[in-house]
Amino acid sequence: MKLKSTLIAGAAIVALLPGQALATGISSEEAKALLERLNQLEQEVVSLRAQLGSVETVQQQQSEQVAAVEKVAQAKEKTSIKFKGAPEIKTEDGWSFKPRGRILYDFNNLSSVPSTINIPGEGFSNEARRVRLGVQGKIPGGFGYKLEADLLDGVELTDAYLDYKSGGLTITVGQHNNFQSLEEISSSNDTSFIERAAFTDAFGFQRKVGVSAAYKTGDLLLQGGVFTDNIDDLSDGNDSINLDGRVVFAPKLGDAQLHLGGSVHWTDLGDTIDSVRYRQRPLIHSVDTRFINTGNISADEQLTYGLEAAVISGRFHAAAETHWAKVSRPGLANPTFFGGSIEAGLFLTDDKREYKGGVFKGVKVKNPVGSGGSGAWQVNVRYDRLDLTDAGIIGGTQDGYMASLIWTPVDYVRFLVNYGHLSYGNALGIVTGAPEDYSVDVIGARAQIAF
């Protein structure tokens, strides 16, 4: 209102002045005063224009800030964060990112060792079994990645690969499992005992660098690939090559999940690797002694093959595997070694063992601790056989009779207690002082978190 009144008064004075000056005349003092007043009015107009410009600038800045806030809000609507042991970030356009890791601590005891055998591992021992950190995620266009390392002895890469998925097809490039067996490729976070069946370590199953393809259609899963060696063993002199394949048929029979499978693995050791060795610890990894051991066997090729079967029905599960390892020795008889296991387990609570994609998965606790429940409780029994004696190679035999109790208070946390009675045959002198036949007892406990 002040601006409007001032402008109107100024305009009136300017309009009236000429007529008044012609009619009566004005003095020089009056003219000077009028001119000063006009100059003041001009300055006020300039000042008011500047103020109007500042107001417009502020309004524009406020408008830009509102637009920025709206843009952030829209971005948040397109991004989701879910907590699966660790935060998993996903966007609508196909990106995802999730940190992952695990910590497994073992506390073990080896007893009943014959007095003729003197080894440092007898009695109590403990270790950090696995300490891993990594990341995994997806990239628009069907691509994904996984990178994980074990931090116990420096940095040792476990999984390090890029994959592509389209429908039922998955193509993987990099270091990953080469489809050895149900027990081996099921995560150590989800096994029924603190260690896998004896044949998986004895026959040297490990991740390798390669290119593989998997195709799932209905209840059928086909997996195969070409691999070289573990990433830590690669060099310009290591020209070993592996061909690996696995077939799984996993139908549902009512509420029961069935699993039937088999795998074949051929290895050409190449020009620089001229021997293989098969051996195994007594169920617990913190003991370095191998009571069963073939020693180094000259070889140029290796062929392993196995069968798998499992069933999950409500709180009950059972699984069985057999595996053979045949060694090709130039000019000598070719030995074939055997390993296998059979197990059964039952949840004491209203939980069940999970299964997906041809492997066992971790339990999803129905009544977790902290929400009024007691967690998931499970008991398991297993018979485990490993025979490393054939064609003149005497590596001994091991028969394991095992039981375990597992408490999973919440998802991602587990506590395990194992007992094992291990009987050895054809074992004379494999370990210094070892008799032909004897047995040992082991107790193992584990505390773990995995996310």
Side-chain angles (χ1 to χ4, degrees):
M1 289 298 293
K2 180 179 180 181
L3 173 61
K4 184 175 180 181
S5 300
T6 304
L7 290 175
I8 293 172
I13 292 171
V14 173
L16 293 173
L17 274 176
Q20 292 176 347
L22 289 174
T24 60
I26 60 174
S27 66
S28 59
E29 290 79 4
E30 292 175 333
K32 183 178 179 180
L34 288 172
L35 287 173
E36 289 177 354
R37 180 56 182 160
L38 286 174
N39 288 333
Q40 291 175 358
L41 290 172
E42 183 179 3
Q43 292 300 319
E44 290 181 8
V45 169
V46 171
S47 176
L48 290 170
R49 284 178 176 174
Q51 292 178 21
L52 286 172
S54 298
V55 170
E56 290 176 353
T57 301
V58 170
Q59 289 177 339
Q60 182 178 357
Q61 292 174 345
Q62 291 175 340
S63 178
E64 291 174 352
Q65 290 173 353
V66 170
V69 170
E70 290 177 349
K71 187 175 181 180
V72 170
Q74 290 174 358
K76 287 183 177 179
E77 289 178 359
K78 295 180 180 180
T79 302
S80 65
I81 300 177
K82 294 183 179 180
F83 208 86
K84 297 181 177 180
E88 182 179 36
I89 304 170
K90 291 184 177 181
T91 65
E92 286 186 355
D93 55 0
W95 288 94
S96 74
F97 176 86
K98 180 183 180 295
R100 56 181 292 121
R102 68 186 73 177
I103 302 173
L104 282 61
Y105 273 105
D106 289 355
F107 306 89
N108 305 314
N109 189 78
L110 170 64
S111 62
S112 304
V113 179
S115 59
T116 56
I117 300 176
N118 183 18
I119 57 172
E122 186 173 5
F124 175 78
S125 60
N126 65 106
E127 67 174 349
R129 181 66 176 91
R130 295 179 180 88
V131 178
R132 295 180 184 175
L133 284 176
V135 295
Q136 68 182 65
K138 295 180 180 179
I139 302 171
F143 296 96
Y145 61 90
K146 182 180 179 182
L147 176 64
E148 189 171 51
D150 197 298
L151 308 179
L152 285 177
D153 297 311
V155 177
E156 179 182 341
L157 287 177
T158 53
D159 288 304
Y161 63 78
L162 170 72
D163 63 28
Y164 171 77
K165 296 182 179 181
S166 178
L169 176 67
T170 301
I171 298 174
T172 305
V173 180
Q175 173 149 299
H176 57 292
N177 271 311
N178 52 327
F179 319 123
Q180 302 98 333
S181 74
L182 173 63
E183 178 81 352
E184 176 65 19
I185 62 178
S186 294
S187 172
S188 60
N189 298 327
D190 309 322
T191 53
S192 302
F193 293 81
I194 61 175
E195 297 297 332
R196 296 182 173 97
F199 73 87
T200 63
D201 280 346
F203 293 162
F205 294 166
Q206 62 177 339
R207 294 171 174 84
K208 296 182 178 181
V209 175
V211 179
S212 71
Y215 183 72
K216 188 178 188 308
T217 174
D219 297 328
L220 184 65
L221 174 64
L222 305 174
Q223 299 169 307
V226 180
F227 296 83
T228 54
D229 211 334
N230 185 273
I231 197 169
D232 289 333
D233 298 323
L234 295 179
S235 68
D236 56 0
N238 185 345
D239 58 351
S240 61
I241 193 76
N242 301 260
L243 299 178
D244 301 86
R246 181 174 181 244
V247 178
V248 172
F249 180 58
K252 296 277 283 189
L253 187 61
D255 293 332
Q257 174 68 63
L258 302 182
H259 171 101
L260 300 171
S263 64
V264 179
H265 315 271
W266 173 80
T267 302
D268 183 338
L269 299 177
D271 297 327
T272 59
I273 302 174
D274 58 7
S275 66
V276 294
R277 178 177 61 182
Y278 304 114
R279 58 182 186 166
Q280 182 57 295
R281 293 178 171 89
L283 178 62
I284 50 178
H285 187 269
S286 58
V287 171
D288 271 339
T289 301
R290 278 81 165 181
F291 296 115
I292 184 170
N293 189 344
T294 65
N296 290 327
I297 304 171
S298 61
D300 59 5
E301 292 183 7
Q302 173 185 269
L303 177 67
T304 72
Y305 46 92
L307 298 173
E308 315 163 10
V311 60
I312 301 173
S313 180
R315 296 182 294 141
F316 172 81
H317 91 275
E321 289 196 67
T322 56
H323 215 92
W324 293 264
K326 183 175 183 179
V327 182
S328 176
R329 300 192 297 168
L332 297 171
N334 298 330
T336 299
F337 305 118
F338 172 79
S341 68
I342 182 169
E343 72 172 57
L346 181 70
F347 277 94
L348 306 179
T349 51
D350 188 23
D351 297 280
K352 67 174 184 177
R353 196 166 191 186
E354 300 293 332
Y355 175 92
K356 183 179 180 181
V359 298
F360 286 120
K361 294 291 187 179
V363 59
K364 298 177 182 178
V365 182
K366 287 188 176 181
N367 296 295
V369 171
S371 298
S374 61
W377 290 83
Q378 182 187 15
V379 293
N380 303 280
V381 292
R382 170 186 283 176
Y383 169 68
D384 191 318
R385 169 77 174 177
L386 184 59
D387 185 348
L388 300 182
T389 298
D390 190 48
I393 304 296
I394 302 177
T397 61
Q398 174 182 283
D399 292 281
Y401 307 89
M402 307 169 185
S404 73
L405 173 66
I406 303 175
W407 178 42
T408 309
V410 296
D411 292 350
Y412 314 110
V413 176
R414 293 206 308 171
F415 299 93
L416 300 83
V417 177
N418 291 184
Y419 166 75
H421 178 77
L422 305 173
S423 297
Y424 294 95
N426 291 323
L428 182 65
I430 292 177
V431 176
T432 302
E436 180 75 12
D437 304 294
Y438 63 97
S439 62
V440 301
D441 294 298
V442 294
I443 295 175
R446 170 174 292 171
Q448 77 173 55
I449 179 172
F451 54 88

Tab-separated table of all heavy atoms in Angstrom, residues 359-394:
chain	number	residue	atom	x	y	z
A	359	VAL	N	20.106	-77.778	-2.955
A	359	VAL	CA	20.942	-77.798	-1.748
A	359	VAL	C	20.077	-77.564	-0.515
A	359	VAL	O	18.980	-77.013	-0.597
A	359	VAL	CB	22.060	-76.740	-1.800
A	359	VAL	CG1	23.009	-76.999	-2.953
A	359	VAL	CG2	21.469	-75.336	-1.901
A	360	PHE	N	20.596	-77.962	0.649
A	360	PHE	CA	19.942	-77.659	1.907
A	360	PHE	C	20.166	-76.193	2.260
A	360	PHE	O	21.209	-75.610	1.967
A	360	PHE	CB	20.492	-78.533	3.035
A	360	PHE	CG	20.036	-79.959	2.982
A	360	PHE	CD1	20.959	-80.999	2.870
A	360	PHE	CD2	18.683	-80.272	3.057
A	360	PHE	CE1	20.534	-82.320	2.830
A	360	PHE	CE2	18.250	-81.585	3.017
A	360	PHE	CZ	19.181	-82.617	2.900
A	361	LYS	N	19.171	-75.591	2.929
A	361	LYS	CA	19.253	-74.207	3.381
A	361	LYS	C	19.023	-74.147	4.894
A	361	LYS	O	18.589	-75.114	5.510
A	361	LYS	CB	18.207	-73.344	2.659
A	361	LYS	CG	18.450	-73.205	1.161
A	361	LYS	CD	19.675	-72.369	0.868
A	361	LYS	CE	19.827	-72.078	-0.597
A	361	LYS	NZ	21.008	-71.231	-0.883
A	362	GLY	N	19.293	-72.970	5.464
A	362	GLY	CA	19.156	-72.794	6.903
A	362	GLY	C	17.703	-72.780	7.352
A	362	GLY	O	16.797	-72.402	6.599
A	363	VAL	N	17.487	-73.183	8.601
A	363	VAL	CA	16.143	-73.202	9.168
A	363	VAL	C	15.629	-71.782	9.360
A	363	VAL	O	16.380	-70.865	9.690
A	363	VAL	CB	16.144	-73.966	10.515
A	363	VAL	CG1	17.095	-73.320	11.500
A	363	VAL	CG2	14.742	-74.046	11.100
A	364	LYS	N	14.332	-71.598	9.127
A	364	LYS	CA	13.656	-70.335	9.427
A	364	LYS	C	12.887	-70.531	10.728
A	364	LYS	O	11.846	-71.178	10.760
A	364	LYS	CB	12.720	-69.960	8.282
A	364	LYS	CG	13.432	-69.723	6.962
A	364	LYS	CD	12.455	-69.416	5.834
A	364	LYS	CE	13.181	-69.219	4.501
A	364	LYS	NZ	12.233	-68.970	3.383
A	365	VAL	N	13.422	-69.973	11.799
A	365	VAL	CA	12.907	-70.249	13.136
A	365	VAL	C	11.499	-69.689	13.298
A	365	VAL	O	11.268	-68.491	13.107
A	365	VAL	CB	13.843	-69.650	14.199
A	365	VAL	CG1	13.334	-69.987	15.600
A	365	VAL	CG2	15.267	-70.159	14.012
A	366	LYS	N	10.567	-70.554	13.655
A	366	LYS	CA	9.169	-70.129	13.791
A	366	LYS	C	8.923	-69.372	15.095
A	366	LYS	O	8.103	-68.452	15.131
A	366	LYS	CB	8.241	-71.349	13.714
A	366	LYS	CG	8.105	-71.924	12.313
A	366	LYS	CD	7.038	-73.000	12.273
A	366	LYS	CE	6.834	-73.521	10.852
A	366	LYS	NZ	5.784	-74.563	10.788
A	367	ASN	N	9.593	-69.778	16.169
A	367	ASN	CA	9.384	-69.142	17.473
A	367	ASN	C	10.739	-68.739	18.052
A	367	ASN	O	11.287	-69.423	18.934
A	367	ASN	CB	8.658	-70.101	18.425
A	367	ASN	CG	7.250	-70.433	17.945
A	367	ASN	OD1	6.387	-69.569	17.881
A	367	ASN	ND2	7.046	-71.700	17.593
A	368	PRO	N	11.284	-67.640	17.563
A	368	PRO	CA	12.636	-67.252	17.983
A	368	PRO	C	12.699	-66.737	19.410
A	368	PRO	O	11.708	-66.244	19.963
A	368	PRO	CB	12.993	-66.147	16.983
A	368	PRO	CG	11.682	-65.567	16.563
A	368	PRO	CD	10.720	-66.723	16.554
A	369	VAL	N	13.887	-66.862	19.993
A	369	VAL	CA	14.154	-66.263	21.287
A	369	VAL	C	14.050	-64.741	21.138
A	369	VAL	O	14.478	-64.168	20.143
A	369	VAL	CB	15.562	-66.653	21.779
A	369	VAL	CG1	15.949	-65.862	23.025
A	369	VAL	CG2	15.624	-68.155	22.058
A	370	GLY	N	13.474	-64.100	22.118
A	370	GLY	CA	13.262	-62.664	22.038
A	370	GLY	C	11.858	-62.311	21.613
A	370	GLY	O	11.424	-61.165	21.738
A	371	SER	N	11.135	-63.323	21.071
A	371	SER	CA	9.737	-63.113	20.691
A	371	SER	C	8.839	-64.094	21.430
A	371	SER	O	7.785	-64.496	20.925
A	371	SER	CB	9.576	-63.279	19.176
A	371	SER	OG	10.346	-62.322	18.483
A	372	GLY	N	9.300	-64.534	22.580
A	372	GLY	CA	8.498	-65.434	23.388
A	372	GLY	C	8.727	-66.903	23.124
A	372	GLY	O	8.100	-67.757	23.765
A	373	GLY	N	9.634	-67.235	22.171
A	373	GLY	CA	9.871	-68.628	21.826
A	373	GLY	C	11.179	-69.148	22.388
A	373	GLY	O	11.942	-68.434	23.028
A	374	SER	N	11.464	-70.416	22.100
A	374	SER	CA	12.697	-71.063	22.568
A	374	SER	C	13.653	-71.359	21.430
A	374	SER	O	14.662	-72.042	21.610
A	374	SER	CB	12.356	-72.370	23.292
A	374	SER	OG	11.688	-73.265	22.413
A	375	GLY	N	13.334	-70.874	20.218
A	375	GLY	CA	14.178	-71.167	19.071
A	375	GLY	C	13.875	-72.532	18.491
A	375	GLY	O	12.883	-73.180	18.850
A	376	ALA	N	14.749	-72.996	17.583
A	376	ALA	CA	14.587	-74.300	16.942
A	376	ALA	C	15.611	-75.274	17.521
A	376	ALA	O	16.798	-74.952	17.626
A	376	ALA	CB	14.784	-74.171	15.431
A	377	TRP	N	15.135	-76.475	17.897
A	377	TRP	CA	15.997	-77.515	18.456
A	377	TRP	C	15.947	-78.737	17.538
A	377	TRP	O	14.864	-79.176	17.142
A	377	TRP	CB	15.547	-77.902	19.854
A	377	TRP	CG	15.785	-76.831	20.883
A	377	TRP	CD1	14.991	-75.758	21.160
A	377	TRP	CD2	16.907	-76.729	21.760
A	377	TRP	NE1	15.540	-74.979	22.151
A	377	TRP	CE2	16.723	-75.560	22.555
A	377	TRP	CE3	18.051	-77.504	21.973
A	377	TRP	CZ2	17.639	-75.167	23.517
A	377	TRP	CZ3	18.961	-77.110	22.947
A	377	TRP	CH2	18.754	-75.957	23.703
A	378	GLN	N	17.132	-79.280	17.228
A	378	GLN	CA	17.214	-80.384	16.273
A	378	GLN	C	18.222	-81.418	16.758
A	378	GLN	O	19.301	-81.066	17.273
A	378	GLN	CB	17.637	-79.860	14.896
A	378	GLN	CG	17.720	-80.916	13.806
A	378	GLN	CD	18.315	-80.364	12.515
A	378	GLN	OE1	18.917	-79.296	12.508
A	378	GLN	NE2	18.156	-81.087	11.419
A	379	VAL	N	17.907	-82.711	16.573
A	379	VAL	CA	18.846	-83.797	16.851
A	379	VAL	C	19.108	-84.550	15.553
A	379	VAL	O	18.216	-84.681	14.697
A	379	VAL	CB	18.313	-84.760	17.927
A	379	VAL	CG1	18.236	-84.058	19.275
A	379	VAL	CG2	16.951	-85.319	17.547
A	380	ASN	N	20.360	-85.036	15.393
A	380	ASN	CA	20.751	-85.745	14.185
A	380	ASN	C	21.647	-86.918	14.533
A	380	ASN	O	22.396	-86.876	15.524
A	380	ASN	CB	21.531	-84.820	13.237
A	380	ASN	CG	20.762	-83.573	12.867
A	380	ASN	OD1	19.904	-83.595	12.006
A	380	ASN	ND2	21.078	-82.465	13.531
A	381	VAL	N	21.584	-87.962	13.725
A	381	VAL	CA	22.515	-89.089	13.827
A	381	VAL	C	23.069	-89.370	12.438
A	381	VAL	O	22.410	-89.104	11.423
A	381	VAL	CB	21.835	-90.351	14.400
A	381	VAL	CG1	21.457	-90.141	15.854
A	381	VAL	CG2	20.617	-90.740	13.570
A	382	ARG	N	24.296	-89.893	12.393
A	382	ARG	CA	24.941	-90.146	11.092
A	382	ARG	C	25.889	-91.341	11.201
A	382	ARG	O	26.574	-91.510	12.212
A	382	ARG	CB	25.729	-88.926	10.631
A	382	ARG	CG	26.612	-89.190	9.415
A	382	ARG	CD	27.491	-88.010	9.064
A	382	ARG	NE	26.734	-86.972	8.387
A	382	ARG	CZ	27.240	-85.793	8.043
A	382	ARG	NH1	28.500	-85.499	8.335
A	382	ARG	NH2	26.482	-84.911	7.419
A	383	TYR	N	25.906	-92.127	10.128
A	383	TYR	CA	26.965	-93.122	9.926
A	383	TYR	C	27.783	-92.666	8.737
A	383	TYR	O	27.236	-92.328	7.678
A	383	TYR	CB	26.396	-94.515	9.674
A	383	TYR	CG	27.447	-95.490	9.199
A	383	TYR	CD1	28.474	-95.904	10.054
A	383	TYR	CD2	27.437	-95.981	7.890
A	383	TYR	CE1	29.446	-96.784	9.624
A	383	TYR	CE2	28.410	-96.863	7.450
A	383	TYR	CZ	29.417	-97.262	8.317
A	383	TYR	OH	30.392	-98.127	7.881
A	384	ASP	N	29.113	-92.669	8.912
A	384	ASP	CA	30.022	-92.128	7.898
A	384	ASP	C	31.113	-93.153	7.618
A	384	ASP	O	31.773	-93.643	8.552
A	384	ASP	CB	30.633	-90.827	8.435
A	384	ASP	CG	31.397	-90.037	7.374
A	384	ASP	OD1	32.119	-90.658	6.584
A	384	ASP	OD2	31.279	-88.809	7.363
A	385	ARG	N	31.336	-93.464	6.338
A	385	ARG	CA	32.319	-94.486	5.951
A	385	ARG	C	33.310	-93.893	4.963
A	385	ARG	O	32.929	-93.183	4.023
A	385	ARG	CB	31.609	-95.673	5.301
A	385	ARG	CG	32.508	-96.688	4.607
A	385	ARG	CD	33.207	-97.596	5.572
A	385	ARG	NE	33.954	-98.664	4.868
A	385	ARG	CZ	34.710	-99.558	5.469
A	385	ARG	NH1	34.806	-99.555	6.793
A	385	ARG	NH2	35.352	-100.479	4.769
A	386	LEU	N	34.602	-94.173	5.184
A	386	LEU	CA	35.647	-93.765	4.253
A	386	LEU	C	36.645	-94.909	4.118
A	386	LEU	O	37.221	-95.359	5.117
A	386	LEU	CB	36.346	-92.495	4.742
A	386	LEU	CG	37.410	-91.880	3.827
A	386	LEU	CD1	36.816	-91.511	2.460
A	386	LEU	CD2	38.029	-90.648	4.474
A	387	ASP	N	36.846	-95.367	2.887
A	387	ASP	CA	37.741	-96.507	2.617
A	387	ASP	C	38.811	-96.057	1.627
A	387	ASP	O	38.526	-95.800	0.453
A	387	ASP	CB	36.935	-97.668	2.049
A	387	ASP	CG	37.775	-98.928	1.844
A	387	ASP	OD1	39.027	-98.839	1.919
A	387	ASP	OD2	37.190	-99.996	1.605
A	388	LEU	N	40.049	-95.969	2.113
A	388	LEU	CA	41.167	-95.520	1.281
A	388	LEU	C	42.165	-96.650	1.048
A	388	LEU	O	43.388	-96.428	0.971
A	388	LEU	CB	41.875	-94.329	1.950
A	388	LEU	CG	41.019	-93.095	2.205
A	388	LEU	CD1	41.842	-91.969	2.812
A	388	LEU	CD2	40.333	-92.624	0.923
A	389	THR	N	41.657	-97.854	0.913
A	389	THR	CA	42.508	-99.018	0.672
A	389	THR	C	42.060	-99.727	-0.597
A	389	THR	O	40.920	-100.188	-0.688
A	389	THR	CB	42.441	-99.994	1.867
A	389	THR	OG1	42.927	-99.337	3.034
A	389	THR	CG2	43.276	-101.234	1.608
A	390	ASP	N	42.963	-99.791	-1.595
A	390	ASP	CA	42.658	-100.500	-2.839
A	390	ASP	C	43.907	-100.546	-3.716
A	390	ASP	O	44.738	-99.632	-3.687
A	390	ASP	CB	41.520	-99.820	-3.599
A	390	ASP	CG	41.011	-100.656	-4.759
A	390	ASP	OD1	40.754	-101.863	-4.547
A	390	ASP	OD2	40.881	-100.115	-5.867
A	391	ALA	N	44.018	-101.606	-4.524
A	391	ALA	CA	45.070	-101.760	-5.537
A	391	ALA	C	46.469	-101.508	-4.973
A	391	ALA	O	47.304	-100.839	-5.585
A	391	ALA	CB	44.799	-100.834	-6.708
A	392	GLY	N	46.719	-102.046	-3.792
A	392	GLY	CA	48.037	-101.923	-3.199
A	392	GLY	C	48.245	-100.656	-2.389
A	392	GLY	O	49.275	-100.513	-1.725
A	393	ILE	N	47.305	-99.725	-2.426
A	393	ILE	CA	47.377	-98.507	-1.610
A	393	ILE	C	46.651	-98.782	-0.301
A	393	ILE	O	45.465	-99.128	-0.288
A	393	ILE	CB	46.735	-97.302	-2.317
A	393	ILE	CG1	47.368	-97.076	-3.683
A	393	ILE	CG2	46.847	-96.057	-1.441
A	393	ILE	CD1	48.834	-96.705	-3.642
A	394	ILE	N	47.353	-98.644	0.825
A	394	ILE	CA	46.737	-98.894	2.128
A	394	ILE	C	46.696	-97.579	2.889
A	394	ILE	O	47.667	-97.175	3.542
A	394	ILE	CB	47.515	-99.962	2.914
A	394	ILE	CG1	47.572	-101.266	2.104
A	394	ILE	CG2	46.849	-100.208	4.268
A	394	ILE	CD1	48.374	-102.359	2.772
